Structures are given as structure tokens and as C-alpha cells.
Amino acid sequence: MTRLTIKAAAERVDRSERTIYRWIDRDLLTIRNGTVAELDLLKADRTQRQRKGRPRLVANARQSGKLAALADETAARSGLSAEVCRGLFAAGWNYTEHGDEPARWTAPAERAA
């Protein structure tokens, strides 16, 4: 079983260290000797991303330069090409998955309203 430091765990799931500590506080993860189990981390991340009403956030990917990887993943989910997804993300659009509801693209103007 692979164990990760808090910093490595945050990078692995493209979240902040604060979020990892929040998951530990909410008993979604267990910390041992300053590390968390990678499998538990991936399960917690998937659970949190699938929560109903919680969009997949693109902001962290934009800030961390991992937008291309997110575009590839989104392309597989949305049926669009990775190039189209990159272009939509670059233009400020977000791809949102809400639990059992159909996934959709949200324009920047829609989010501001």
C-alpha cells in the first residue's frame, strides 16, 4: 500500500493541502506518521467529486497548469475531442457533473448570473 505525504496527496488529486486536512478532520482519510494511504485518498476524492450538486472544478487545473490533462479526461466523458475541451476551458467554460443529473457545459455568463 502506497502512502503519501499531505503535500504529495494534494498534488495527486489536484486539491489543496487544506482540503486534505479537511478530509482528515471529517474522517474521510486517516493520517499515520504524516502520511495518508493513496487508495483511501483516491476513494475520498472520487466520493467528493461525485457528491450531488458539486461541480467538477476547473479552477485548480487552470492555476496548476494541468488543464490539458483535465481536458483529456473531460473529452472521454463528454464525447468531445480534447482540443475542443481545451478551447472551452480556455474560454472560461466549465464541465459540470451533478450526481445522477446529465452533465453539461456552463458558460462564464451563466455562472455569474
Side-chain angles (χ1 to χ4, degrees):
M1 174 168 40
T2 304
R3 300 201 61 86
L4 303 168
T5 64
I6 300 301
K7 182 177 181 176
E11 290 173 1
R12 174 72 171 89
V13 293
D14 200 25
R15 304 284 190 139
S16 69
E17 290 180 44
R18 181 177 176 195
T19 296
I20 303 303
Y21 282 114
R22 193 176 306 119
W23 291 353
I24 292 167
D25 289 343
R26 292 191 313 187
D27 294 325
L28 295 171
L29 287 174
T30 303
I31 189 168
R32 288 196 179 99
N33 298 325
T35 64
V36 296
E38 184 177 29
L39 183 59
D40 293 342
L41 171 72
L42 296 175
K43 286 179 184 177
D45 181 58
R46 172 172 272 194
T47 299
Q48 294 305 299
R49 290 189 189 277
Q50 290 178 342
R51 283 180 31 206
K52 189 171 180 111
R54 296 290 300 210
R56 291 183 49 82
L57 300 178
V58 178
N60 286 345
R62 282 190 183 112
Q63 292 171 356
S64 66
K66 297 180 181 176
L67 198 55
L70 182 61
D72 291 340
E73 178 184 337
T74 303
R77 293 172 176 262
S78 69
L80 298 174
S81 72
E83 293 78 24
V84 169
C85 291
R86 276 189 216 97
L88 288 167
F89 287 144
W93 287 68
N94 282 327
Y95 183 72
T96 309
E97 296 173 337
H98 290 283
D100 295 333
E101 297 174 21
R104 69 186 191 109
W105 285 94
T106 307
E110 286 183 57
R111 290 193 314 271

